Structures are given as C-alpha cells and as structure tokens.
Amino acid sequence: MAAASTGNNGSPPVALLVLMAAAMVAGWFVNAVRPPPPTPCGAEGGPPVTAARVRVRDGRFLAYAESGVRREAARFKVVYSHGFSGGRMDSPRASQALLEELGVYMVAFDRAGYGESDPDPRRSLRSAAMDIQDLADALQLGPKFHLICSSLGCHAAWASFKYIPHRLAGAAMMAPVINYRWPGLPRGLARQLYRRQPVGDQWSLRVAYYAPWLLHWWMNQTWLPTSTVISGSGSFPNALDEKNRLMALSTGLFQKKARMATQQGVQDSFYRDMAVMFGRWPEFEPAELEEPPFPVHLFQGDEDGVVPVQLQRHICRRLGWISYHELAGVGHFLSAVPGLGDRIVTTLLPAAA
C-alpha cells in the first residue's frame, strides 16, 4: 500500500491534467465564440426608436419608410427588401415623378435585426417571407402587392415565391445574390467562379455554410481572412461600382451606413444575414420552385463583381418562367445606375405604362 502511494507522489494522474486543460480550453473557446446579446431599439442601453414601426406575428417590430404617393390613393403598392448593409431608406431610386404618374406607393423596411427592426434569433427563409406578409397586413396593403428585392435581400423574394405566392401580384429582383452551394448550380462552374472571389470572401462564405455559429468570432480576428464586402476593401470590375465604393469610403458614407445597419449588433444584422443566405437551404432551393401565378423579372449586370452573371443565366434558363434582363456594362449596385429604377418599376407594372 505504501509503495503504491509513493509511486503516485500524491500528484494528479497525467490523464486528469490533460482533461482539465482541455476543459479550460473548451470553456475559453465557448465564451470566445459566443456573440454578445443584441441591444434592441427602445430597450435600456439600446438605440432610440425614431422610425415608424409595426408589430409582426411574434411581437417583434419592423421599422419602415414610405415613398411615392399616399397609401390610400395608390393604384399599385410595392414592398422593397434591401440588400446587405442596407436599410429602410434604400429603394430602387425610381423618380418621384414616375411614382406619382403611375400611382405607386412604396414601402421599404429594415429587415430583422437591421436598423430599427427588432432582431429575430430564429431568422430563416420562411421568416423572411412572413415578415413581408406581416408588414403588408399591418399597413393594409390589400390581398396582393408587388415586391422588389435587391442583392442579398432577394433571398426574401425566393422565400416569398415559396411561402406566400398568393399574396404577390408581381416581383422584380435586382442582382440577386447566389449561394454557390445550391445543388441546382453546375458544380464545376460554381466552384470555378467561387475560387475567383477574394480569399477573405471565400472563407467568410465557407464559415457561414459549415459553422455559422463561428461567424462573429471569425470576423473579429484580424489575423484571419474575412469579408471584403463588410470591410469595403474589395475593388469592383465595374467602373461605376468602383467609383461609388471609393467615394463612400472617402466621405464616410460607407461607415455611416454600416453603423446604422448594425446599431443593434452586427451578429443579428450582418452575420445572421450571411448565415441565412450562404448557409444550408434545407427548406428548398430556387431551382426547385414551381412557376408562381404572377410575373417575375430579374435584372442582372454583366459586369457584376459580386454575383457571377454566368450562374444567374443558368438559374434563369433552368427555371424558364423568369423574365431575364441582362444589362450590358452594368455592375452590381443597380439602384445607382441613372434611370434604371424607372425602368424596373415600369417593367414590373406594365399595365401602368
């Protein structure tokens, strides 16, 4: 008995020390990757509420901004879903004269977690469509309305085609962002185009797909490759896109928009957006959708540095029911193209032309 005790020297076994060290490392990692809680508008310590807001099905609030003619006098009612880092003040930039001439009421809203809309910890494709429907119902837009979505905000359009097709009279998508891992895309081409993206963007999309819970930690590590879209450091092949990028950075507009979009927390705005758009699509993918009972238009620039035009062409050819409008010499940010907002609105509302 004494010999056995001397052999241990009263110290813990090596295996126990290893387990203790592993537990400490695991505890540190769990705390490190856990994002901070959001700071909702109107809550203690949160930003003030300055926008008009409506309450949706689960008690959250959505902030919105109206343009065009008065809702009560409108012939056409249009909901606009903004892109990544955008907000309720965005729009296709159709002229006020055209909106008045056609009798168009347009409402844009901060998507969940953006701007002054409450975060949604259960955000999904379905919830994106339900938020649009709830907004329309709260504002009494009637049984049917039109939908315009931009860039990453177009996942809400695909979801609306799936879950609320009976509520839409027509839809227009402006340079809809693509998930490179959609099964319906040609695998070789998608892989080739994915590898042409900046390394930081490749890794950001990879993390969003395989480990979305890691996004907040990953994006805050200066020694890791992260999103050039979020930092504004990636250049664009289109001259107008690049000019606007440099101007937004030099004037501080880029940083101001990002602060407004993420004022309740970057996790519940940017990173949840990335997780929904670039993560797994277990509910459906665009190539599986049936033709909806309304016209759908898709506008895509052939010099888009964010969305490869080759993959957009493939999706539209495969579905067949999308009216595809390819724009020569145009980049990704379609609302910045002079006159294009008017073209999109008049194309979506042909009966008014």
Coordinates of all heavy atoms in Angstrom, one line a residue, residues 24-79:
M24 N -10.6 23.6 -19.8 CA -10.3 25.0 -19.7 C -10.3 25.6 -21.1 O -10.8 26.7 -21.3 CB -9.0 25.3 -18.9 CG -9.0 24.9 -17.5 SD -7.4 25.1 -16.7 CE -7.1 26.8 -16.8
V25 N -9.6 25.0 -22.0 CA -9.5 25.5 -23.4 C -10.9 25.5 -24.0 O -11.3 26.5 -24.6 CB -8.6 24.6 -24.2 CG1 -8.7 25.0 -25.7 CG2 -7.2 24.8 -23.7
A26 N -11.7 24.5 -23.8 CA -13.1 24.4 -24.3 C -13.9 25.5 -23.7 O -14.7 26.2 -24.4 CB -13.7 23.0 -24.0
G27 N -13.8 25.7 -22.4 CA -14.6 26.8 -21.8 C -14.2 28.2 -22.3 O -15.0 29.0 -22.6
W28 N -12.9 28.4 -22.5 CA -12.4 29.7 -23.1 C -13.0 29.8 -24.5 O -13.5 30.9 -24.9 CB -10.9 29.7 -23.2 CG -10.4 30.8 -24.0 CD1 -10.2 32.1 -23.7 CD2 -10.1 30.8 -25.4 NE1 -9.8 32.9 -24.7 CE2 -9.7 32.1 -25.8 CE3 -10.1 29.8 -26.4 CZ2 -9.3 32.4 -27.1 CZ3 -9.7 30.0 -27.7 CH2 -9.3 31.3 -28.1
F29 N -13.0 28.7 -25.3 CA -13.4 28.8 -26.7 C -14.9 29.1 -26.8 O -15.4 29.9 -27.6 CB -13.1 27.5 -27.4 CG -13.4 27.5 -28.9 CD1 -12.7 28.3 -29.8 CD2 -14.5 26.8 -29.4 CE1 -13.0 28.3 -31.1 CE2 -14.9 26.8 -30.7 CZ -14.1 27.6 -31.6
V30 N -15.7 28.4 -25.9 CA -17.1 28.6 -25.9 C -17.5 30.1 -25.6 O -18.3 30.7 -26.3 CB -17.8 27.7 -24.9 CG1 -19.3 28.1 -24.7 CG2 -17.8 26.3 -25.4
N31 N -16.8 30.7 -24.6 CA -17.0 32.1 -24.3 C -16.5 33.0 -25.4 O -17.1 34.0 -25.7 CB -16.3 32.4 -23.0 CG -17.0 31.8 -21.8 OD1 -18.2 31.7 -21.8 ND2 -16.2 31.4 -20.8
A32 N -15.4 32.6 -26.0 CA -14.9 33.5 -27.1 C -15.8 33.6 -28.3 O -15.9 34.6 -28.9 CB -13.5 33.0 -27.5
V33 N -16.4 32.4 -28.7 CA -17.2 32.4 -29.9 C -18.6 32.9 -29.7 O -19.4 33.1 -30.6 CB -17.2 31.0 -30.6 CG1 -15.8 30.6 -30.9 CG2 -17.9 30.0 -29.7
R34 N -19.0 33.0 -28.4 CA -20.4 33.4 -28.1 C -20.6 34.9 -28.4 O -19.9 35.7 -27.8 CB -20.8 33.1 -26.7 CG -22.2 33.5 -26.3 CD -22.5 33.3 -24.9 NE -22.4 31.9 -24.5 CZ -21.7 31.4 -23.6 NH1 -20.8 32.3 -22.9 NH2 -21.7 30.1 -23.3
P35 N -21.4 35.3 -29.4 CA -21.6 36.7 -29.7 C -22.3 37.4 -28.6 O -23.0 36.8 -27.8 CB -22.5 36.7 -31.0 CG -23.2 35.4 -30.9 CD -22.3 34.4 -30.2
P36 N -22.0 38.7 -28.4 CA -22.7 39.5 -27.4 C -24.2 39.6 -27.7 O -24.6 39.5 -28.9 CB -22.1 40.9 -27.5 CG -21.5 40.9 -28.9 CD -21.1 39.5 -29.3
P37 N -25.1 39.8 -26.7 CA -26.5 39.9 -27.0 C -26.8 41.2 -27.7 O -26.1 42.1 -27.6 CB -27.1 39.9 -25.6 CG -26.0 40.4 -24.7 CD -24.7 39.9 -25.3
P38 N -27.9 41.2 -28.5 CA -28.3 42.4 -29.2 C -28.7 43.5 -28.2 O -29.1 43.2 -27.1 CB -29.4 42.0 -30.1 CG -30.0 40.8 -29.4 CD -28.9 40.1 -28.7
T39 N -28.7 44.7 -28.7 CA -29.2 45.9 -27.9 C -30.4 46.5 -28.7 O -30.2 47.4 -29.4 CB -28.1 46.9 -27.7 OG1 -27.6 47.3 -29.0 CG2 -27.0 46.4 -26.9
P40 N -31.6 45.9 -28.5 CA -32.8 46.3 -29.3 C -33.1 47.8 -29.1 O -32.9 48.4 -28.1 CB -33.9 45.5 -28.8 CG -33.2 44.3 -28.2 CD -31.9 44.8 -27.6
C41 N -33.6 48.4 -30.2 CA -34.0 49.8 -30.1 C -35.1 50.0 -29.1 O -36.1 49.2 -29.1 CB -34.5 50.3 -31.5 SG -33.2 50.5 -32.7
G42 N -35.0 51.0 -28.3 CA -36.0 51.3 -27.3 C -35.8 50.6 -26.0 O -36.4 50.9 -25.0
A43 N -34.9 49.6 -26.0 CA -34.6 48.9 -24.7 C -33.5 49.6 -23.9 O -32.8 50.5 -24.5 CB -34.1 47.5 -25.0
E44 N -33.4 49.3 -22.7 CA -32.4 50.0 -21.9 C -31.0 49.8 -22.5 O -30.6 48.6 -22.7 CB -32.4 49.5 -20.4 CG -31.5 50.2 -19.5 CD -31.6 49.7 -18.1 OE1 -32.5 48.9 -17.8 OE2 -30.8 50.1 -17.2
G45 N -30.3 50.8 -22.7 CA -29.0 50.7 -23.3 C -29.0 50.6 -24.8 O -27.9 50.6 -25.4
G46 N -30.1 50.5 -25.4 CA -30.2 50.4 -26.9 C -30.4 51.7 -27.6 O -30.7 52.7 -26.9
P47 N -30.4 51.7 -28.9 CA -30.6 53.0 -29.6 C -32.0 53.4 -29.5 O -32.9 52.6 -29.2 CB -30.3 52.6 -31.1 CG -29.6 51.3 -31.0 CD -30.0 50.6 -29.8
P48 N -32.3 54.7 -29.7 CA -33.7 55.2 -29.6 C -34.5 54.8 -30.8 O -34.0 54.5 -31.9 CB -33.5 56.7 -29.6 CG -32.2 57.0 -30.3 CD -31.4 55.8 -30.0
V49 N -35.8 54.7 -30.7 CA -36.7 54.5 -31.8 C -37.1 55.8 -32.5 O -37.6 56.7 -31.8 CB -38.0 53.8 -31.3 CG1 -39.0 53.6 -32.5 CG2 -37.7 52.4 -30.7
T50 N -36.7 55.9 -33.7 CA -37.0 57.2 -34.5 C -37.9 56.9 -35.7 O -38.4 57.9 -36.2 CB -35.7 57.8 -34.9 OG1 -35.1 57.0 -35.9 CG2 -34.8 58.1 -33.8
A51 N -38.1 55.7 -36.1 CA -38.8 55.3 -37.3 C -40.2 54.9 -37.0 O -40.5 54.4 -35.9 CB -38.1 54.2 -38.1
A52 N -41.1 54.9 -38.0 CA -42.4 54.3 -37.9 C -42.2 52.8 -37.8 O -41.3 52.3 -38.6 CB -43.2 54.7 -39.1
R53 N -42.9 52.1 -37.0 CA -42.8 50.6 -36.9 C -44.1 50.0 -36.7 O -45.1 50.6 -36.3 CB -41.9 50.3 -35.6 CG -40.6 51.0 -35.6 CD -39.5 50.3 -34.7 NE -39.9 50.1 -33.3 CZ -39.2 49.4 -32.4 NH1 -38.1 48.9 -32.8 NH2 -39.6 49.3 -31.2
V54 N -44.2 48.7 -37.1 CA -45.4 47.9 -37.0 C -45.0 46.6 -36.2 O -43.8 46.2 -36.3 CB -46.0 47.5 -38.3 CG1 -46.5 48.8 -39.1 CG2 -45.0 46.7 -39.2
R55 N -45.9 46.0 -35.5 CA -45.7 44.8 -34.8 C -46.1 43.6 -35.7 O -47.1 43.6 -36.4 CB -46.5 44.8 -33.5 CG -46.1 43.6 -32.6 CD -47.0 43.6 -31.4 NE -46.8 44.7 -30.5 CZ -46.0 44.8 -29.5 NH1 -45.2 43.7 -29.3 NH2 -45.9 45.8 -28.7
V56 N -45.2 42.6 -35.7 CA -45.5 41.4 -36.5 C -45.9 40.2 -35.6 O -46.1 40.4 -34.4 CB -44.2 41.0 -37.4 CG1 -43.9 42.1 -38.4 CG2 -43.0 40.8 -36.5
R57 N -46.1 39.1 -36.2 CA -46.8 37.9 -35.6 C -46.2 37.5 -34.3 O -46.9 37.0 -33.4 CB -46.7 36.7 -36.6 CG -45.3 36.3 -36.9 CD -45.2 35.5 -38.1 NE -43.7 35.2 -38.4 CZ -42.9 36.1 -38.8 NH1 -43.3 37.3 -39.1 NH2 -41.6 35.7 -39.0
D58 N -44.9 37.6 -34.1 CA -44.3 37.1 -32.9 C -43.9 38.2 -31.9 O -43.2 38.0 -30.9 CB -43.0 36.3 -33.2 CG -42.0 37.1 -34.0 OD1 -42.2 38.3 -34.3 OD2 -41.0 36.5 -34.4
G59 N -44.5 39.4 -32.1 CA -44.3 40.5 -31.2 C -43.2 41.4 -31.5 O -43.0 42.5 -30.9
R60 N -42.3 41.1 -32.5 CA -41.2 41.9 -32.9 C -41.8 43.2 -33.6 O -42.9 43.2 -34.1 CB -40.3 41.2 -33.8 CG -39.4 40.2 -33.2 CD -38.5 39.5 -34.2 NE -39.3 38.7 -35.2 CZ -39.3 39.1 -36.5 NH1 -38.7 40.1 -36.9 NH2 -40.1 38.3 -37.3
F61 N -40.9 44.2 -33.7 CA -41.3 45.4 -34.5 C -40.4 45.5 -35.8 O -39.2 45.1 -35.7 CB -41.1 46.6 -33.7 CG -42.1 46.9 -32.6 CD1 -41.9 46.5 -31.3 CD2 -43.3 47.5 -33.0 CE1 -42.9 46.7 -30.4 CE2 -44.3 47.7 -32.0 CZ -44.1 47.3 -30.7
L62 N -41.0 45.9 -36.9 CA -40.3 46.2 -38.1 C -40.4 47.7 -38.4 O -41.5 48.2 -38.3 CB -40.9 45.4 -39.3 CG -40.8 43.9 -39.3 CD1 -41.5 43.3 -40.6 CD2 -39.3 43.5 -39.2
A63 N -39.3 48.3 -38.6 CA -39.3 49.7 -39.0 C -39.4 49.9 -40.5 O -38.9 49.1 -41.3 CB -38.0 50.3 -38.5
Y64 N -40.1 50.9 -40.9 CA -40.3 51.1 -42.3 C -40.3 52.6 -42.7 O -40.4 53.5 -41.9 CB -41.7 50.5 -42.7 CG -42.9 51.2 -42.2 CD1 -43.6 52.2 -42.9 CD2 -43.4 50.8 -40.9 CE1 -44.7 52.8 -42.4 CE2 -44.5 51.4 -40.4 CZ -45.2 52.4 -41.1 OH -46.3 53.1 -40.6
A65 N -40.2 52.8 -44.0 CA -40.2 54.2 -44.6 C -41.0 54.1 -45.9 O -40.9 53.2 -46.7 CB -38.8 54.7 -44.9
E66 N -41.9 55.1 -46.1 CA -42.8 55.2 -47.2 C -42.3 56.2 -48.3 O -41.7 57.2 -47.9 CB -44.2 55.5 -46.8 CG -44.8 54.5 -45.8 CD -46.0 55.0 -45.1 OE1 -45.9 56.1 -44.5 OE2 -47.1 54.4 -45.2
S67 N -42.6 55.9 -49.5 CA -42.3 56.9 -50.6 C -43.4 56.7 -51.7 O -44.2 55.8 -51.6 CB -40.9 56.6 -51.2 OG -40.8 55.3 -51.7
G68 N -43.3 57.6 -52.7 CA -44.3 57.6 -53.7 C -45.6 58.4 -53.3 O -45.5 59.4 -52.6
V69 N -46.7 57.9 -53.7 CA -48.0 58.5 -53.4 C -48.5 58.0 -52.1 O -48.0 57.1 -51.5 CB -49.0 58.3 -54.5 CG1 -48.5 58.8 -55.8 CG2 -49.4 56.8 -54.6
R70 N -49.5 58.7 -51.6 CA -50.2 58.3 -50.3 C -50.8 56.9 -50.5 O -51.3 56.5 -51.5 CB -51.3 59.2 -49.9 CG -50.8 60.6 -49.4 CD -52.0 61.4 -48.9 NE -53.0 61.6 -50.0 CZ -54.2 61.0 -49.9 NH1 -54.5 60.1 -49.0 NH2 -55.1 61.2 -50.9
R71 N -50.7 56.1 -49.4 CA -51.1 54.7 -49.5 C -52.6 54.6 -49.9 O -53.0 53.8 -50.7 CB -50.9 54.1 -48.1 CG -51.1 52.6 -48.1 CD -51.0 52.1 -46.6 NE -50.1 52.9 -45.8 CZ -50.2 52.9 -44.5 NH1 -51.1 52.3 -43.8 NH2 -49.3 53.7 -43.8
E72 N -53.4 55.5 -49.4 CA -54.8 55.5 -49.7 C -55.2 55.8 -51.1 O -56.2 55.4 -51.6 CB -55.6 56.5 -48.7 CG -55.4 56.2 -47.2 CD -54.1 56.6 -46.7 OE1 -53.4 57.3 -47.4 OE2 -53.8 56.2 -45.5
A73 N -54.3 56.5 -51.8 CA -54.6 57.0 -53.1 C -53.8 56.1 -54.2 O -53.9 56.4 -55.4 CB -54.1 58.4 -53.3
A74 N -53.1 55.1 -53.8 CA -52.2 54.3 -54.7 C -53.0 53.4 -55.5 O -53.9 52.7 -55.1 CB -51.2 53.6 -53.8
R75 N -52.5 53.3 -56.8 CA -53.0 52.2 -57.7 C -52.2 50.9 -57.5 O -52.7 49.8 -57.7 CB -52.9 52.7 -59.2 CG -53.8 53.9 -59.5 CD -53.5 54.3 -60.9 NE -53.7 53.3 -61.9 CZ -53.1 53.2 -63.1 NH1 -52.2 54.2 -63.4 NH2 -53.3 52.2 -63.9
F76 N -50.9 51.1 -57.2 CA -50.0 50.0 -57.0 C -49.3 50.1 -55.7 O -48.8 51.2 -55.3 CB -49.0 49.9 -58.1 CG -49.6 49.7 -59.5 CD1 -49.8 50.8 -60.3 CD2 -50.0 48.5 -60.0 CE1 -50.4 50.7 -61.6 CE2 -50.5 48.3 -61.2 CZ -50.7 49.4 -62.0
K77 N -49.2 49.0 -55.0 CA -48.5 49.0 -53.7 C -47.3 48.1 -53.8 O -47.5 46.9 -54.1 CB -49.5 48.7 -52.6 CG -50.5 49.7 -52.4 CD -51.7 49.2 -51.5 CE -52.8 50.3 -51.5 NZ -54.0 49.9 -50.7
V78 N -46.1 48.6 -53.4 CA -44.9 47.8 -53.6 C -44.1 47.8 -52.3 O -43.9 48.8 -51.7 CB -44.0 48.5 -54.7 CG1 -42.7 47.7 -54.9 CG2 -44.8 48.7 -56.0
V79 N -43.7 46.6 -52.0 CA -42.8 46.4 -50.8 C -41.3 46.2 -51.3 O -41.1 45.5 -52.3 CB -43.2 45.1 -50.0 CG1 -42.2 44.9 -48.9 CG2 -44.6 45.3 -49.4

